[in-house]
Amino acid sequence: PIERELHDKDARWYLTRLLPYRSVEDRIEGIVITFVDISERKRAEDALQASEQRLAEELAIMRRLHESITRLLVCQDLDTALSEVLDATLEITGAAMGIIQLFDPVDQRLHVVAQHGFEQSSLDHLRSADSATGSTYHRAMQHRQRVIVEDVETDPDYAPHRAAAAAAGYRAIQSTPLLSRAGELLGVLSTYYSEPRRPSERDLRSLDLYARQAADFIERIRGEETLRQA
């Protein structure tokens, strides 16, 4: 017998069997073709494969997070630590660029302390006082919640920054606030993507893990600094 798996235009799968039809004299006089619907089995196999892929991705995220935490435990320099967090976040989420900004309660502004992928002209725009209005990081700072712009070309609030986005080479952004355990704003973690997109749920879970990691480290360093001053 010969067996083949086929699917039709309606995405249904069939197992096709071809068997010789023999006469009483054992001569082959034709072929018997049977079709068995195996669509449910194929869907179950695809679901299992997708589940295994998701598990592998989650394990990779947790492994990378564990490595970062191990390095942060012995790190005493805030800028180096936040650069480590940012690099790990970009690797896991597949973002092209990223920044971490810390909130200064004195001037009520965000200041870039770690960045990846930006040219100096783009950083100058980010540091400009006029650059905040309509930006994702400013909205995240104001509302204390994540802001996602799937395409800067279609988001009306982002209109003042489209020229800067084109010069820097990004089309989509997300900004996640860094909050203390008490809910106070510490800063903002932003990732930038070269094409229009919305981060997947897996990416957003990863961002939350690294945002929590960054916020805890900022609190620890600031707490130690306060103790030294006291």
Side-chain angles (χ1 to χ4, degrees):
I2 299 174
E3 294 186 349
R4 294 287 187 274
E5 290 184 357
L6 306 172
H7 66 91
D8 59 19
K9 62 180 180 180
D10 296 322
R12 298 199 66 82
W13 284 85
Y14 298 91
L15 178 63
T16 305
R17 293 190 178 96
L18 288 80
L19 296 169
Y21 174 72
R22 299 179 182 274
S23 67
V24 292
E25 291 84 13
D26 202 31
R27 292 195 303 269
I28 297 178
E29 296 185 347
I31 297 175
V32 178
I33 303 175
T34 59
F35 296 87
V36 179
D37 191 333
I38 58 170
S39 301
E40 290 299 324
R41 191 192 79 187
K42 293 295 291 185
R43 280 193 283 269
E45 291 174 352
D46 291 344
L48 177 60
Q49 184 177 5
S51 177
E52 291 174 346
Q53 179 64 29
R54 287 194 299 270
L55 178 60
E57 292 172 351
E58 295 291 343
L59 288 174
I61 292 170
M62 297 310 297
R63 188 180 300 111
R64 187 69 172 86
L65 181 64
H66 180 265
E67 293 171 354
S68 297
I69 292 174
T70 301
R71 285 190 287 270
L72 288 179
L73 288 175
V74 297
C75 185
Q76 300 300 319
D77 175 38
L78 181 60
D79 291 349
T80 301
L82 294 182
S83 293
E84 159 67 27
V85 170
L86 182 59
D87 289 345
T89 303
L90 298 182
E91 178 184 336
I92 292 298
T93 61
M97 296 173 285
I99 59 170
I100 293 180
Q101 297 160 289
L102 292 187
F103 177 69
D104 187 338
V106 177
D107 63 12
Q108 296 289 299
R109 289 182 57 199
L110 292 165
H111 300 273
V112 177
V113 292
Q115 70 90 16
H116 180 89
F118 283 94
E119 300 291 340
Q120 188 59 49
S121 59
S122 297
L123 290 176
D124 291 341
H125 176 77
L126 287 170
R127 293 185 176 116
S128 169
D130 296 333
S131 69
T133 305
S135 66
T136 55
Y137 60 82
H138 188 256
R139 284 182 264 173
M141 177 187 73
Q142 286 185 313
H143 302 294
R144 305 293 198 272
Q145 63 184 9
R146 179 162 33 232
V147 176
I148 298 173
V149 171
E150 298 181 33
D151 188 350
V152 299
E153 295 296 325
T154 59
D155 185 84
D157 293 330
Y158 209 79
H161 311 289
R162 286 175 187 163
Y170 63 84
R171 285 287 299 273
I173 322 163
Q174 75 73 37
S175 292
T176 298
L178 305 177
L179 303 176
S180 70
R181 295 287 178 175
E184 298 176 351
L185 180 70
L186 300 174
V188 176
L189 168 61
S190 301
T191 52
Y192 299 74
Y193 306 88
S194 56
E195 299 293 336
R197 64 172 287 185
R198 179 179 180 84
S200 66
E201 289 303 314
R202 191 212 71 178
D203 287 348
L204 296 179
R205 288 196 302 271
S206 301
L207 284 164
D208 288 337
L209 288 172
Y210 283 104
R212 182 73 267 151
Q213 182 182 356
D216 286 346
F217 188 82
I218 294 167
E219 278 198 288
R220 177 167 74 85
I221 292 296
R222 288 182 173 177
E224 291 173 355
E225 183 179 346
T226 300
L227 287 175
R228 284 194 298 269
Q229 292 175 349

